[in-house]
Amino acid sequence: MEGRRIPRLVPALTLLLISFAFFQIRASEVIFYESFDEPFEGRWVVSEKDDYKGVWKHSKSGGHDDYGLLVSEKARKYAIVHELDEIVSLKDGTVVLQYEVRLQDGLECGGAYLKYLRPQDAGWKIKEFDNTSPYTIMFGPDKCGSTNKVHFIFKHKNPKTGEYVEHHLKNPASVPYDKLSHVYTAVLKPDNELRILIDGEEKKKANFLSAEDFELPLIPPKTVPDPNDKKPEDWDERAKIPDPDAVKPDDWDEDAPMEIVDEDAVKPEGWLDDEPEEIDDPEATKPEDWDDEEDGEWEAPKIDNPKCETAPGCGEWKRPMKRNPAYKGKWHAPLIDNPNYKGIWKPQEIPNPDYFELERPEFDPIAAIGIEIWTMQDGILFDNILIASDEKVAETYRETAWKPKFEVEKEKQKEEDKDTDSHDLSAIHKKVFDVLYKIADVPLLDPYKPKILDLLEKAEKQPNITVGVLVSIVVIILSFFFKILFGGKKPAVDVPEARSETAPETSDGQGGGEDEADEDEKEEAAAAPRRRSTRRET
């Protein structure tokens, strides 16, 4: 009997050993992980720079026993950093960057992104971490004004010039607008592929070497316009010119008005000449607390004159205007083809002295992870920051650490939706908005994206105008597709110049040159006083 038991144990022991080896391999593929289950003091260092007054807290996520790193105050700058035990190389193999964010009070104006810092210069002190500390990658949500995107920005050293240049992912996904936990994942592959996932769903795929995917392109153009080339003085760019042989007709009257009084018009019968169109509201009374010195002389509000409702019109009757049949306007000679037209002048192309070729980016390694943001909202909770060398590892963490929380929050949100009053968006409306936010992420609509997002935000805040806003968005989308189908000018896209290390970098002025104007928007959101309304307006 004992001899029979031993062979039966062999498969079980083998399976156990394989499982143990598998988990050991998986553990080795986790390069860095921070769950914030324990207080962050001692592992994370808060910046001591004067600008960063925001207080970080070790706090539970609302409705869970799970802890995270909390942004606890509104209208503050925050900075905190953690130095890695080992520097992470991005040059070999797959690297996955992943973390969770929960916007417990929403996000109207602020950032919730991470900065993956490269090794700092000699003499740098970790307590001096700020917006100037050089990073390799900046990744995560940012929303303020016209900015609504999940950033992916990387800095790369030009091997010819030695200067670092920012490269921004084009057409990034929008930030989820609810208050649930969301997990953001960036997968960097050795074949130059970049994949951006939100809650495990792929939102963007790009190639680091493609000029179509990044602004500015990683690989500079082979040729550039010659800065010393000048347009010849006799170069004629006019495709059409006025006909020099044309003569104004003798009967052309340039002084004839566009409209004249219709002398044939007759005042409608029953017109009330002595009645004004509006009268003082007879039921209005001067408020008891009205102060003439402070508020000015009180005037009763106007209402439509009820006597005019059944009459064809009120007030002084005047003959209407009509188009003048003799009107021709200013005479201009007709245009003809310019015989001297040479086309639009462009400088000749010369070899780009800064051009280089790469098989893949020469990423600087990651030496630390920092959170450096400026936000108008509190309640932003960071959790489960992961760096791994395998996508399956990141997927496992999403399934075990994030998804259970998300499902609980989603069910709770459904229950709250059932109990909302008539002023809140219905569940159907929420689904509609979810679809529209996804439509706004379509790359073809990128020129219209800020306008669409602005309209969506207004509709969410003011449910009474939802229908009108949705119609406006549909009109924008239909207009765009009609332009594609039937022709029309494409929206102009400004191509920014190369950014240096010192250029503004984000929507808060700290990490994204294209969004430097949003710093003013955050200042206005923090400090703009409300206009005092007078009693007359109320």
Side-chain angles (χ1 to χ4, degrees):
M1 294 294 293
E2 292 296 326
R4 291 179 182 177
R5 288 179 184 174
I6 291 175
R8 290 179 181 178
L9 289 173
V10 171
L13 289 172
T14 302
L15 180 62
L16 182 62
L17 289 172
I18 292 173
S19 300
F20 178 76
F22 174 79
F23 285 115
Q24 285 293 102
I25 292 172
R26 282 285 179 236
S28 67
E29 290 169 346
V30 176
I31 301 171
F32 170 78
Y33 179 61
E34 173 62 84
S35 66
F36 293 107
D37 289 340
E38 302 296 331
F40 61 86
E41 290 86 353
R43 301 190 314 281
W44 291 76
V45 177
V46 178
S47 175
E48 295 182 353
K49 286 293 189 74
D50 292 338
D51 287 347
Y52 300 97
K53 302 296 185 182
V55 177
W56 296 96
K57 290 186 177 180
H58 182 242
S59 176
K60 287 183 179 180
S61 179
H64 304 292
D65 290 329
D66 185 50
Y67 282 86
L69 182 64
L70 180 69
V71 169
S72 66
E73 298 176 301
K74 297 180 180 180
R76 291 285 188 273
K77 288 184 178 182
Y78 291 81
I80 192 169
V81 65
H82 172 81
E83 282 190 303
L84 301 178
D85 293 335
E86 295 183 6
I87 290 177
V88 178
S89 173
L90 300 177
K91 293 184 179 182
D92 300 312
T94 297
V95 175
V96 183
L97 310 176
Q98 181 170 285
Y99 73 104
E100 294 176 28
V101 171
R102 186 179 184 187
L103 309 173
Q104 298 179 111
D105 297 320
L107 184 62
E108 292 300 321
C109 187
Y113 41 78
L114 266 58
K115 290 183 176 180
Y116 298 87
L117 308 183
R118 67 176 186 251
Q120 306 297 295
D121 295 333
W124 182 77
K125 298 178 181 178
I126 191 169
K127 291 184 178 181
E128 295 178 353
F129 170 58
D130 62 9
N131 65 309
T132 65
S133 301
Y135 63 84
T136 296
I137 291 173
M138 194 188 89
F139 171 54
D142 190 16
K143 180 180 178 184
C144 192
S146 61
T147 297
N148 186 329
K149 63 181 71 176
V150 178
H151 283 291
F152 186 90
I153 305 171
F154 72 94
K155 287 189 175 182
H156 190 271
K157 188 176 183 179
N158 185 308
K160 285 288 189 71
T161 65
E163 294 182 354
Y164 281 91
V165 178
E166 286 182 11
H167 304 278
H168 293 237
L169 180 66
K170 290 183 180 179
N171 306 316
S174 298
V175 181
Y177 60 91
D178 55 39
K179 301 178 182 179
L180 310 180
S181 296
H182 293 284
V183 58
Y184 297 88
T185 309
V187 182
L188 289 71
K189 306 284 286 184
D191 61 357
N192 297 320
E193 181 182 273
L194 168 68
R195 295 171 59 234
I196 303 296
L197 294 77
I198 301 178
D199 299 344
E201 179 182 348
E202 184 177 296
K203 295 293 184 179
K204 181 73 176 179
K205 181 184 285 187
N207 187 295
F208 284 111
L209 301 186
S210 172
E212 299 298 321
D213 292 334
F214 284 90
E215 187 179 306
L216 299 159
L218 177 63
I219 306 297
K222 289 185 177 181
T223 62
V224 293
D226 184 355
N228 298 318
D229 193 12
K230 305 297 181 183
K231 182 170 68 173
E233 294 182 1
D234 61 347
W235 190 280
D236 197 337
E237 295 182 324
R238 299 172 300 164
K240 299 279 186 178
I241 60 172
D243 185 353
D245 299 325
V247 179
K248 183 174 70 174
D250 293 335
D251 61 347
W252 192 288
D253 184 0
E254 292 185 331
D255 298 324
M258 182 181 295
E259 290 184 331
I260 58 175
V261 176
D262 185 358
E263 298 295 344
D264 297 328
V266 179
K267 181 169 67 174
E269 187 174 342
W271 187 281
L272 305 179
D273 295 87
D274 299 327
E275 290 291 339
E277 293 181 358
E278 290 184 336
I279 60 172
D280 291 343
D281 185 353
E283 298 181 1
T285 57
K286 180 178 178 180
E288 294 181 0
D289 61 346
W290 187 274
D291 188 327
D292 289 339
E293 292 184 1
E294 179 182 348
D295 302 313
E297 182 181 354
W298 183 81
E299 296 176 1
K302 298 288 185 180
I303 62 171
D304 293 336
N305 189 344
K307 294 181 180 179
C308 299
E309 293 180 0
T310 56
C314 290
E316 181 185 0
W317 181 81
K318 295 181 179 180
R319 284 187 172 84
M321 304 294 287
K322 69 175 184 178
R323 182 172 179 81
N324 182 4
Y327 172 76
K328 293 186 178 181
K330 186 75 174 175
W331 182 84
H332 297 281
L335 296 178
I336 61 171
D337 292 337
N338 181 4
N340 298 319
Y341 176 64
K342 294 184 178 181
I344 303 300
W345 183 85
K346 293 181 180 179
Q348 64 178 348
E349 295 283 319
I350 60 173
N352 184 359
D354 297 332
Y355 175 74
F356 60 86
E357 293 184 0
L358 287 176
E359 292 186 0
R360 67 185 314 256
E362 293 288 338
F363 288 114
D364 281 345
I366 297 173
I369 299 175
I371 306 175
E372 187 272 316
I373 57 176
W374 183 10
T375 178
M376 297 292 104
Q377 268 71 48
D378 56 359
I380 301 175
L381 192 79
F382 295 88
D383 200 4
N384 295 319
I385 301 175
L386 171 72
I387 302 178
S389 60
D390 191 310
E391 292 184 68
K392 293 293 183 181
V393 174
E395 182 180 352
T396 299
Y397 275 85
R398 289 197 299 269
E399 291 295 320
T400 57
W402 164 76
K403 194 169 184 179
K405 291 188 296 184
F406 179 75
E407 295 297 336
V408 169
E409 294 164 11
K410 190 165 63 172
E411 289 302 316
K412 184 178 180 181
Q413 186 65 53
K414 287 181 180 179
E415 294 299 320
E416 292 177 354
D417 288 342
K418 293 178 182 179
D419 300 331
T420 53
D421 58 36
S422 60
H423 294 291
D424 290 328
L425 292 171
S426 66
I428 295 177
H429 281 179
K430 286 185 177 294
K431 291 180 180 179
V432 171
F433 276 104
D434 188 46
V435 171
L436 288 172
Y437 272 105
K438 289 182 179 180
I439 291 174
D441 285 335
V442 175
L444 283 174
L445 295 174
D446 192 55
Y448 300 91
K449 187 174 180 179
K451 188 172 184 179
I452 293 174
L453 293 176
D454 183 58
L455 289 170
L456 285 174
E457 289 174 5
K458 288 180 179 177
E460 285 185 272
K461 294 176 184 176
Q462 304 177 57
N464 59 309
I465 66 169
T466 297
V467 174
V469 168
L470 295 182
V471 171
S472 299
I473 293 172
V474 171
V475 169
I476 291 173
I477 295 173
L478 289 178
S479 299
F480 175 75
F481 283 107
F482 270 112
K483 282 186 177 181
I484 293 177
L485 292 174
F486 301 108
K489 291 184 178 180
K490 294 182 180 180
V493 179
D494 294 329
V495 179
E497 297 179 357
R499 303 177 183 89
S500 66
E501 188 73 53
T502 58
E505 298 166 349
T506 59
S507 66
D508 59 9
Q510 301 166 9
E514 66 188 32
D515 300 316
E516 60 184 341
D518 287 335
E519 181 174 358
D520 296 332
E521 292 174 350
K522 283 183 180 158
E523 289 176 345
E524 291 172 3
R530 293 187 177 182
R531 183 175 66 88
R532 178 182 178 275
S533 59
T534 64
R535 292 189 179 92
R536 189 191 306 275
E537 293 173 329
T538 57

